[in-house]
Amino acid sequence: MTHALMVPNLPAPGALGNIDSYIQAASRVPLLTEEQEQSLARRFRDDEDLDAARTLVMSHLRLVIAIARGYLGYGLPHADLIQEGNIGLMKAVKRFDPDRGVRLVSFAIHWIKAEIHEYILRNWRLVKVATTKAQRKLFFNLRSLKHSSNTLNPAEVQEVAKTLGVKPEEVVEMETRLSGQDVALEGSSEDDDRDSARLAPIHWLADSAAEPLDVMEAAQNVRLQEDGLHSALAALDDRSRAIVQRRWLVQDGEAATLHELAAEYGVSAERIRQIEAKAMQKMKASMQKMLGMAA
């Protein structure tokens, strides 16, 4: 018989005022036995028992903390990394199948890392730091492949490029981006020079998008675009809709290739490309018509 677990309601990282306090609180949450984990997972899967799901999440918070600690070198707050990892953990709990014979800890690692990776890339995307699968691999492995903190020499550049399957110039560019220094938005509090303080970036980084009317208009445009997308997709035939969704609207995992879809539908890759192009043209016309009517 599985004993009930007393699991506290733990606030988000940083809510306790100190990240160390959060880590200590998370470490006090009891670990689950395999029997307890299986029972809780089945309660959540079969009965939608949210208390069971909460217990599964809480008992694995220390796993998220350990994984997040490995990404501190990217200059992002530890609390934010943990919070994003917690989102990945919740996604893992939602998808966990207790009948697969795998412990949740093994299943959750992928989801936690994936969420943290996406968070890091979103924060570095201002400079388009990684836009392809190979560049992402380079981004997350470059530090570990460097033998020292010094700049890579030509031979090391070639070695890293060969190991990760990217171009040498991409290695050099990525290293330059990762070695860039942060610039303070505000002037130093110790600087009494008022002219220098006025030259701080915070004074010339105006954000017109923060105006209430602009924010409301942007939100309305987003809703119109989403409604237009759903309407345009609904107007397609089943095959065209499936191809567009699997090529461009994939939420988790990678988009399907033309050749993969060709094999699935028993046609050529060129035929899939033609169907996709025709469907995209039809959707574009439908969305433009809908946005024009709303203007």
Side-chain angles (χ1 to χ4, degrees), residues 191-199:
D191 191 353
D192 295 329
D193 187 343
R194 294 185 178 180
D195 290 335
S196 297
R198 282 196 294 270
L199 292 176

Side-chain angles (χ1 to χ4, degrees), residues 134-151:
Q135 287 175 335
R136 289 187 178 202
K137 186 176 180 181
L138 171 60
F139 179 81
F140 287 108
N141 287 277
L142 184 56
R143 280 190 174 89
S144 61
L145 290 174
K146 290 180 67 172
H147 302 304
S148 69
S149 59
N150 299 326
T151 302

